[in-house]
């Protein structure tokens, strides 16, 4: 392995740790808890390294929002190895994965939604991410229900997202696992309705 490859891997690792630290601070304290020094401390890196990758707090938060967007798109990413109906069922179930129904993750989601109200740039990032997620979910519905018009796929996707967001919010209240199971079943009913 060349020295450049090792350096590149270390840079990606450090940058990922910085983003993860920013997300962790956002989940615990909201935007007010995120500053370059706190992120450096949380990531275990020098402040200069945080400043090397990110110009300021706003660029760091934008990067964090984009990383959540990438994660959300992975939830609805097609898997060509599976039949379309299984792809859709898997996507609908992924949002209730144990790693997503944690207080930390749900708190992060609440703070990210609040950021959209705090800054126009954040609102645009959130809106674009939401549209991509909705389009991905609608595409999965369209593949699983080939005769369904695109408009109906999009409407079903929007209805499902309302249920998914409600499931996330109520999971913070300690709703039982049976309620989560019923919510997922309801999203499947919406997606596969005749």
């Amino acid at each position: 392995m060349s020295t450049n490859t090792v350096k590149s891997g270390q840079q990606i690792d450090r940058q990922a740790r910085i983003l993860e630290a920013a997300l962790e601070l956002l989940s615990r304290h909201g935007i007010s808890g995120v500053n370059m020094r706190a992120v450096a401390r949380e990531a275990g890196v020098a402040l200069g390294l945080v400043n090397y990758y990110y110009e300021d707090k706003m660029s760091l938060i934008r990067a964090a929002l984009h990383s959540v967007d990438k994660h959300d798109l992975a939830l609805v990413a097609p898997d060509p190895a599976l039949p379309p109906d299984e792809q859709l069922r898997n996507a609908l179930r992924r949002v209730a994965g144990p790693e997503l129904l944690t207080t930390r993750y749900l708190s992060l989601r609440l703070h990210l939604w609040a950021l959209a109200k705090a800054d126009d740039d954040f609102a645009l990032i959130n809106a674009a991410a939401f549209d991509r997620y909705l389009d991905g979910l609608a595409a999965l519905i369209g593949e699983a229900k080939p005769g369904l018009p695109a408009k109906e796929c999009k409407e079903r996707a929007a209805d499902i997202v309302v249920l998914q967001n409600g499931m996330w919010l109520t999971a913070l209240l300690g709703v039982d696992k049976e309620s989560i199971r019923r919510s997922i079943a309801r999203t499947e009913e919406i997606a596969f309705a005749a």
Side-chain angles (χ1 to χ4, degrees):
M1 189 178 294
S2 74
T3 307
N4 286 339
T5 304
V6 171
K7 280 185 180 180
S8 176
Q10 289 173 344
Q11 287 175 338
I12 291 169
D13 179 55
R14 288 187 298 215
Q15 193 168 10
R17 283 193 353 239
I18 291 167
L19 270 180
E20 184 58 34
L23 290 168
E24 181 63 32
L25 291 169
L26 271 169
S27 78
R28 279 190 271 154
H29 308 292
I31 194 168
S32 64
V34 178
N35 63 61
M36 304 302 256
R37 189 171 307 283
V39 169
R41 190 172 34 256
E42 184 78 21
V45 300
L47 176 59
L49 192 60
V50 176
N51 289 319
Y52 172 77
Y53 287 117
Y54 303 101
E55 183 179 322
D56 57 16
K57 174 180 174 172
M58 298 309 249
S59 66
L60 178 59
I61 292 182
R62 279 192 292 278
L65 286 170
H66 286 299
S67 93
V68 171
D69 177 26
K70 283 173 38 179
H71 175 268
D72 287 355
L73 284 177
L75 294 173
V76 293
D79 180 353
L82 297 174
D85 60 326
E86 270 187 67
Q87 290 182 51
L88 178 55
R89 278 189 182 85
N90 286 347
L92 294 173
R93 292 174 184 159
R94 274 186 210 120
V95 299
E99 73 282 2
L100 301 184
L101 294 181
T102 65
T103 301
R104 178 204 178 269
Y105 183 78
L106 297 169
S107 176
L108 173 65
R109 290 309 273 204
L110 288 172
H111 286 296
L112 294 177
W113 290 332
L115 284 176
K117 297 295 183 186
D119 182 277
D120 289 341
D121 192 31
F122 299 154
L124 291 173
I125 292 168
N126 261 349
F130 177 76
D131 287 343
R132 282 189 290 277
Y133 179 83
L134 205 60
D135 289 344
L137 186 53
L140 289 175
I141 293 169
E143 288 294 317
K145 301 283 292 174
L148 208 59
K151 184 176 187 267
E152 177 69 18
C153 292
K154 190 89 168 208
E155 288 172 358
R156 288 184 186 195
D159 291 347
I160 288 167
V161 168
V162 169
L163 274 170
Q164 290 173 337
N165 288 337
M167 180 176 54
W168 281 350
L169 289 171
T170 55
L172 278 173
L173 301 174
V175 174
D176 62 289
K177 292 182 193 263
E178 194 56 30
S179 295
I180 300 297
R181 190 199 60 72
R182 285 192 309 271
S183 295
I184 293 167
R186 182 66 188 123
T187 64
E188 290 179 9
E189 288 171 12
I190 292 168
F192 290 101

